[in-house]
Amino acid sequence: MSRRIIFLLIISALPPANLQAGVSQEQLAAQVRSEFLHAWSGYKKYAWGHDDLKPLSKSYHDWYAEPLLMTPVDALDTMILMGLKDEANHTREYIAKNLSFDKDVYVQNFEVTIRLLGGLLSSYQLTGDKRLLHLAEDLGNRLLPVFDSPTGLPYRYVNLKTGKVRGNITNPAEAGTLLIEFGTLARLTHRPVFYDRAKRALADIYKRRSPIGLVGTWINVETGAWTDTDSHISGAIDSYYEYLLKCWLLFRDEDCHGMWLDSIGAINKFLADEVRTDAGLELWFGHAEMNTGKRAATTYGALDAFFPAALALSGDLDRARRLQESSFKMWIKHDIEPEEINYRTMEIVSPGYPLRPEIIESTYYLYHYASIGSPGLPTLIKRPDGTVSSSAAYLQMGQTMFEDFVKYCRTDEGYAALKSVVTKEKSDSMQSFLFAETFKYFYLLFASPKTLNFDKVIFNTEAHPIRRSP
Ligand code: DMJ
């Protein structure tokens, strides 16, 4: 009997509110916090002051010639939400006193925006510490030159000291995943330039969609011509769609609303793929050529698994629920999800697992919508052996993933990415999104909903919560 069937049988036999092995939600939340601290103490011991911990060699990794404190900035709001006051205060002081962007290094605008600008803004909103806002504004000023291209699409890299730019081939995710952060900075500093430049970049990608409404993977920022016309919801495009939706909700921007509605129509028409299996009709999202809509690949992976959260947030709970089932099928095949599979054969295309959060993020969103009894999600899910409440099903899904995650990725002094989910061999990497996202979404899934009012925030793509407009 497959592990998935066993899982379904087990959860169907349990009373709705229970988790497996009689563990309470509070206990699970406490375990997540304790695992966060385990990884954080490894970072502090071997990599303090640097960007990331290398968990196997017990050393550190900096992205550029000088560190930018990726892990502390990414981790800070998670500590605050977990109630780790001393740790959070100490980290905030360290950031405020030691983080400087006056460095002669070329940085990747997208990564620095989602991790550092997003992290600083979110922690500023949670603490009111003006020093974090000043750091964010300084960073925003230094990133602005990326938008000085003939099209308005941003260059990929900028030198933080000189403002020189590099990288004229970009993708929708890197060009279009800036408005939550730059728009929030504009609001907080009363400088609309930040909003306007980032919104133009987002709209510039949309403007170049194909006649059937799809975007490609790579585009030239100087000519506006696509250099790769593969269309999908995976890495390099993913968060472009996420930001169309979220910027409508965060800023009540009706242009973003319209762009999202057009885009989701094309995604559902050309990328969605219904696959008939013995267990029923499964929903997946694959690849298609952006101009013809012709199916180009039947691959899906860990990055695509953010999409149930986006669908749920948009109100499409039916597709969200079905796609989450598919993502979970991908996870339990090897007890950890691989980077990419062929969903028609369930064969692995890319076997690594870099501690990604997207599937947990979607579990948290679906749990939220199930627990408030949203119309569109069944209250009870029919299982072969009975029924279970949908909120209990998502909690149990989360518990399964958390236990697998700890079992296979924990090291003596941190957490490590996996080279292969088949062999479970580890690799010497612990990216900062482990703290910003993976632990945060696990924690929010199990902790009291009072920890963070879901309806009052929009998470940026790095899971930094930003307050919605009053
Ligand atoms: C994160 O940096 C962000 O979630 C980004 O949008 C996609 N990749 C990683 C996590 O997997």
Side-chain angles (χ1 to χ4, degrees):
M1 197 182 292
S2 78
R3 194 161 181 264
R4 183 174 194 226
I5 301 288
I6 294 168
F7 172 81
L8 295 179
L9 291 176
I10 292 170
I11 62 172
S12 63
L14 288 168
N18 280 10
L19 285 152
Q20 296 161 63
V23 186
S24 70
Q25 264 179 264
E26 293 72 26
Q27 285 169 321
L28 275 170
Q31 278 174 30
V32 175
R33 192 171 41 222
S34 137
E35 291 308 309
F36 173 98
L37 283 172
H38 169 74
W40 177 247
S41 72
Y43 167 77
K44 282 206 304 188
K45 195 162 163 191
Y46 300 106
W48 185 244
H50 294 278
D51 286 339
D52 300 323
L53 169 69
K54 292 175 82 171
L56 303 186
S57 56
K58 295 181 180 158
S59 55
Y60 59 80
H61 164 251
D62 287 320
W63 287 41
Y64 307 108
E66 296 184 68
L68 291 171
L69 304 186
M70 295 286 186
T71 288
V73 177
D74 242 358
L76 179 54
D77 60 9
T78 306
M79 284 175 209
I80 296 168
L81 293 175
M82 287 180 170
L84 299 166
K85 286 200 180 108
D86 291 347
E87 215 52 72
N89 286 338
H90 179 228
T91 306
R92 179 161 54 91
E93 278 308 310
Y94 185 82
I95 291 169
K97 292 196 174 123
N98 294 281
L99 183 55
S100 160
F101 297 117
D102 189 23
K103 294 181 193 300
D104 189 6
V105 289
Y106 280 84
V107 301
Q108 194 178 351
N109 178 49
F110 162 77
E111 293 290 359
V112 163
T113 297
I114 65 171
R115 298 184 199 223
L116 297 183
L117 193 52
L120 288 167
L121 291 169
S122 161
S123 289
Y124 164 65
Q125 289 192 327
L126 288 165
T127 62
D129 186 335
K130 280 259 163 38
R131 294 173 301 176
L132 302 180
L133 180 59
H134 291 146
L135 277 166
E137 186 174 5
D138 180 42
L139 178 58
N141 289 334
R142 292 170 188 275
L143 296 176
L144 272 181
V146 294
F147 297 107
D148 295 334
S149 74
T151 60
L153 289 168
Y155 289 94
R156 288 184 79 200
Y157 300 92
V158 60
N159 185 301
L160 289 177
K161 198 188 261 298
T162 66
K164 285 190 184 151
V165 291
R166 277 184 190 161
N168 63 344
I169 307 293
T170 192
N171 55 64
E174 296 202 35
T177 310
L178 307 168
L179 184 53
I180 290 182
E181 299 79 2
F182 279 80
T184 302
L185 186 60
R187 267 187 180 172
L188 294 170
T189 58
H190 309 288
R191 291 179 56 202
V193 61
F194 293 121
Y195 192 97
D196 297 344
R197 304 305 293 274
K199 179 164 172 196
R200 180 172 169 200
L202 183 63
D204 274 352
I205 291 289
Y206 171 78
K207 212 167 77 185
R208 291 176 170 81
R209 70 197 182 287
S210 70
I212 59 169
L214 294 175
V215 297
T217 306
W218 292 99
I219 188 165
N220 186 316
V221 307
E222 290 173 345
T223 64
W226 292 101
T227 60
D228 179 338
T229 59
D230 185 26
S231 193
H232 48 83
I233 56 158
S234 196
I237 299 183
D238 47 7
S239 45
Y240 156 69
Y241 290 127
E242 181 185 345
Y243 273 38
L244 288 178
L245 171 67
K246 289 183 172 177
C247 291
W248 160 43
L249 298 172
L250 178 61
F251 302 118
R252 301 183 198 286
D253 187 315
E254 284 303 323
D255 296 336
C256 292
H257 188 191
M259 293 189 278
W260 161 257
L261 289 178
D262 278 354
S263 303
I264 190 64
I267 292 170
N268 285 333
K269 187 161 175 196
F270 296 107
L271 303 183
D273 202 357
E274 301 271 355
V275 179
R276 189 163 293 285
T277 69
D278 293 345
L281 201 57
E282 293 174 354
L283 176 65
W284 297 90
F285 284 77
H287 293 228
E289 203 284 328
M290 68 178 273
N291 295 299
T292 61
K294 193 165 174 262
R295 178 71 58 210
T298 53
T299 49
Y300 180 92
L303 285 166
D304 306 63
F306 83 101
F307 208 56
L311 288 167
L313 187 63
S314 78
D316 188 350
L317 289 163
D318 186 52
R319 281 196 185 83
R321 173 186 61 76
R322 294 183 62 210
L323 187 60
Q324 180 68 8
E325 297 251 336
S326 300
S327 297
F328 190 55
K329 178 181 175 183
M330 170 174 76
W331 179 286
I332 57 179
K333 177 112 197 274
H334 299 280
D335 300 337
I336 292 271
E337 63 181 359
E339 187 70 349
E340 200 165 58
I341 58 162
N342 179 335
Y343 54 76
R344 292 241 162 218
T345 61
M346 293 307 287
E347 296 299 321
I348 290 179
V349 174
S350 174
Y353 175 64
L355 307 171
R356 290 207 192 280
E358 287 79 2
I359 193 170
I360 323 299
E361 170 187 1
S362 289
T363 313
Y364 163 59
Y365 275 62
L366 277 157
Y367 170 68
H368 166 77
Y369 287 110
S371 63
I372 61 170
S374 301
L377 269 185
T379 318
L380 294 175
I381 294 182
K382 286 201 182 87
R383 298 299 189 197
D385 203 23
T387 55
V388 63
S389 80
S390 21
S391 59
Y394 292 120
L395 280 180
Q396 291 166 5
M397 212 180 248
Q399 182 183 15
T400 299
M401 292 191 279
F402 181 61
E403 286 170 359
D404 290 339
F405 177 75
V406 175
K407 181 168 171 192
Y408 295 115
C409 302
R410 193 181 206 269
T411 66
D412 55 345
E413 307 251 30
Y415 270 74
L418 300 182
K419 271 187 194 152
S420 162
V421 299
V422 181
T423 62
K424 308 290 188 299
E425 187 190 349
K426 295 187 171 76
S427 73
D428 201 9
S429 161
M430 187 179 91
Q431 285 225 41
S432 64
F433 56 67
L434 168 72
F435 295 103
E437 300 190 73
T438 314
F439 280 128
K440 186 184 283 138
Y441 285 129
F442 269 131
Y443 185 73
L444 291 174
L445 170 65
F446 300 129
S448 157
K450 290 189 192 128
T451 306
L452 183 69
N453 188 334
F454 182 92
D455 297 315
K456 293 258 190 291
V457 297
I458 287 291
F459 293 92
N460 86 336
T461 197
E462 189 78 0
H464 296 303
I466 299 291
R467 256 184 238 145
R468 287 197 193 208
S469 307

